[in-house]
Amino acid sequence: MNHKLNGLQDLYDCVDKLLQLPFSQQDLAQEQPKEWVNELLDGSLRLLDLCSTAKDVVLQTKESAQEIQSVLRRRRSGELELVGEVRKYFTSRKVVQKTIHKALRNFKGLETNRVFSSSDDHETKAMVSLLMEVEAVTSSMFEYLLSLISGPKE
């Protein structure tokens, strides 16, 4: 997983360099934004929402696991307290799973047919195509990550 995340970081470093090139700046800074620019920006916002969901569920899962560890470290705690914490953990896991499934459904529901640049400029078409592929790779990565966090479907 770490290797995949590092690869994604490298991919975004390359995209950042691409977007810093003069022709990229010119295409993106035109007075009347093209529809493909809005599509790409919307896709980025959807990915940020998915990223936020991933962060929230990882923090919630970590917090629940720490609560169980805390009860286990306190040897004076009775079995009843441990059972209560384990129940809270499983309840939390169900909430996490529902949140993940809802986020993925919403994300997939928002995917639309992409508008491709109608420009005759091959560099622009190549850049748009590349950015769409980067979005698809990122989306796939987040879906994989969230499926690992949510665990097997019950």
Side-chain angles (χ1 to χ4, degrees):
M1 176 50 93
N2 191 35
H3 178 70
K4 290 181 181 185
L5 290 173
N6 285 334
L8 191 61
Q9 176 65 46
D10 293 343
L11 178 63
Y12 271 88
D13 288 343
C14 292
V15 167
D16 187 47
K17 290 175 184 173
L18 170 71
L19 293 175
Q20 297 300 321
L21 294 173
F23 81 86
S24 300
Q25 295 286 319
Q26 288 171 345
D27 282 347
L28 294 173
Q30 290 179 349
E31 281 185 36
Q32 295 180 358
K34 295 182 180 179
E35 197 169 332
W36 60 266
V37 173
N38 289 333
E39 287 280 334
L40 290 170
L41 291 173
D42 287 345
S44 294
L45 290 175
R46 287 192 303 269
L47 288 172
L48 283 173
D49 287 342
L50 208 53
C51 182
S52 176
T53 298
K55 178 184 170 193
D56 291 346
V57 297
V58 165
L59 289 175
Q60 186 175 0
T61 301
K62 181 180 175 183
E63 185 178 295
S64 296
Q66 286 174 338
E67 289 294 325
I68 290 176
Q69 289 173 342
S70 175
V71 169
L72 289 173
R73 278 193 297 262
R74 293 188 312 247
R75 298 195 189 272
R76 295 181 209 149
S77 300
E79 188 176 314
L80 194 56
E81 186 178 353
L82 178 60
V83 169
E85 284 301 323
V86 170
R87 280 191 181 130
K88 280 193 232 176
Y89 174 79
F90 283 121
T91 300
S92 171
R93 290 294 302 154
K94 287 181 183 179
V95 170
V96 162
Q97 288 175 336
K98 285 180 183 179
T99 302
I100 289 172
H101 292 276
K102 181 181 176 185
L104 290 175
R105 266 194 322 271
N106 289 344
F107 183 77
K108 288 180 181 181
L110 291 174
E111 290 177 344
T112 59
N113 293 331
R114 293 301 192 145
V115 175
F116 197 79
S117 173
S118 60
S119 171
D120 291 332
D121 181 10
H122 295 294
E123 289 177 347
T124 301
K125 284 184 178 182
M127 182 178 66
V128 171
S129 177
L130 177 76
L131 292 173
M132 287 179 176
E133 288 181 38
V134 168
E135 183 182 320
V137 167
T138 305
S139 168
S140 175
M141 184 66 183
F142 274 113
E143 288 178 32
Y144 175 71
L145 176 65
L146 289 172
S147 71
L148 286 177
I149 295 169
S150 73
K153 293 181 181 178
E154 295 178 1

